[in-house]
Amino acid sequence: MNIGGREFDTDRHTYIMGILNVTPDSFYGASRFDHIDTAVKRACEMQKEGADIIDIGGESTRPGYTKISSEEEIARVVPVIEAIKKEIDLPISLDTYKADVARAGINAGADLINDIWGLKADKNMAGVIANGGVAVCIMHNRQDTDYVSFVDDVIDDLKESIEIAYKSGIKKEAVILDPGVGFAKDTEQNLQIIAELDRINELGFPTLLGVSRKSVIGNTLNIPAEERLAGTIALNMIGYFKKTAFLRVHDVKEHVQAVRMADEVYKYIS
């Protein structure tokens, strides 16, 4: 697929998406860069560490997060996108579920919209993405956790989002799917959806896995976010061997090394 003028061979390679939170309240303190100069510095560092995409978020979506207005979110992300675009040559993803924020971000240079509500929170989102000609990451999420058959229901929810995308003119080759680890799922369900990533892959789209330092690791190992790097890499390597195309991570350098090491082994077994 093409993101921001760069070709991604999502059938044969796993790419690293570096997280850049321009928020004061993200759950992992070391990922907060809420000033333009520090955000640009971190983006440049991630490029040097081997990141393939930078994912910029202006509103924390941690459990119990405080919602902000579109105007405030735009004020946070647009200057950062513009500044980073002047300094590095990587595609930029914008993490937002609001159509007006997405429109402003695309105008500022965003190449991908990463929507945690899978195009369902804002009825105008899919149209903005289609008109902007950018890629989209559709994440699984829902308002309730009343699953009848958990994985089947996740897949059905994603199919609904895909249909919304198609009806608005988004092309198949512009779509990435994210199973939504940490969203509308308990710990066991988060582990199950990672174990069954093959089912998501069967839908025929590149997949993105976002587990970096999340509570599924903390709850399983009983450790704080600052100590979850090893658990993160373990889950992401499961994603790697299940053909996940993108890993969304805080710790770029370590994951670039992990993927390169796995690549060396995988060429003997593929």
Side-chain angles (χ1 to χ4, degrees), residues 8-106:
F8 289 82
D9 185 354
T10 55
D11 291 329
R12 300 185 181 184
H13 190 64
T14 296
Y15 297 93
I16 301 300
M17 174 185 280
I19 298 170
L20 185 67
N21 291 316
V22 290
T23 62
D25 57 344
S26 295
F27 80 93
Y28 178 47
S31 72
R32 301 173 194 158
F33 299 90
D34 53 346
H35 297 284
I36 293 177
D37 55 346
T38 57
V40 171
K41 180 180 178 182
R42 179 56 186 149
C44 291
E45 288 174 350
M46 287 195 283
Q47 183 179 41
K48 290 179 182 178
E49 291 171 352
D52 300 292
I53 304 177
I54 305 295
D55 186 53
I56 297 172
E59 178 180 87
S60 172
T61 53
R62 62 182 174 80
Y65 72 96
T66 301
K67 292 184 179 181
I68 62 173
S69 67
S70 295
E71 291 76 16
E72 183 174 355
E73 191 174 347
I74 289 169
R76 289 179 180 181
V77 300
V78 163
V80 172
I81 293 171
E82 291 175 340
I84 289 174
K85 278 286 187 176
K86 293 176 182 177
E87 297 295 328
I88 68 172
D89 184 26
L90 289 180
I92 299 296
S93 166
L94 174 59
D95 185 349
T96 187
Y97 56 88
K98 301 168 188 170
D100 47 358
V101 177
R103 184 182 297 107
I106 293 168

Side-chain angles (χ1 to χ4, degrees), residues 48-222:
K48 290 179 182 178
E49 291 171 352
D52 300 292
I53 304 177
I54 305 295
D55 186 53
I56 297 172
E59 178 180 87
S60 172
T61 53
R62 62 182 174 80
Y65 72 96
T66 301
K67 292 184 179 181
I68 62 173
S69 67
S70 295
E71 291 76 16
E72 183 174 355
E73 191 174 347
I74 289 169
R76 289 179 180 181
V77 300
V78 163
V80 172
I81 293 171
E82 291 175 340
I84 289 174
K85 278 286 187 176
K86 293 176 182 177
E87 297 295 328
I88 68 172
D89 184 26
L90 289 180
I92 299 296
S93 166
L94 174 59
D95 185 349
T96 187
Y97 56 88
K98 301 168 188 170
D100 47 358
V101 177
R103 184 182 297 107
I106 293 168
N107 289 339
D111 305 294
L112 183 154
I113 300 300
N114 186 7
D115 185 349
I116 66 164
W117 282 103
L119 308 177
K120 296 179 181 179
D122 188 326
K123 65 181 185 341
N124 296 316
M125 177 62 97
V128 166
I129 293 168
N131 291 336
V134 298
V136 60
C137 181
I138 293 173
M139 196 192 82
H140 176 263
N141 203 349
R142 51 157 59 191
Q143 294 286 355
D144 61 75
T145 55
D146 299 328
Y147 298 103
V148 176
S149 176
F150 172 61
V151 177
D152 291 333
D153 290 353
V154 169
I155 289 171
D156 287 343
D157 291 346
L158 286 170
K159 286 179 177 178
E160 291 175 0
S161 291
I162 293 165
E163 186 65 20
I164 292 169
Y166 285 169
K167 286 183 177 179
S168 296
I170 297 173
K171 304 298 184 182
K172 182 179 189 297
E173 57 268 22
V175 175
I176 300 166
L177 298 183
D178 178 348
V181 172
F183 293 83
K185 301 169 187 69
D186 62 25
T187 298
E188 293 300 317
Q189 290 167 337
N190 284 320
L191 294 172
Q192 183 180 355
I193 202 64
I194 294 167
E196 300 202 39
L197 282 169
D198 302 315
R199 296 280 308 280
I200 308 297
N201 289 335
E202 287 171 2
L203 292 172
F205 299 86
T207 53
L208 178 147
L209 185 60
V211 299
S212 189
R213 296 181 180 267
K214 285 186 175 179
S215 61
V216 61
I217 302 165
N219 292 340
T220 302
L221 303 178
N222 193 29

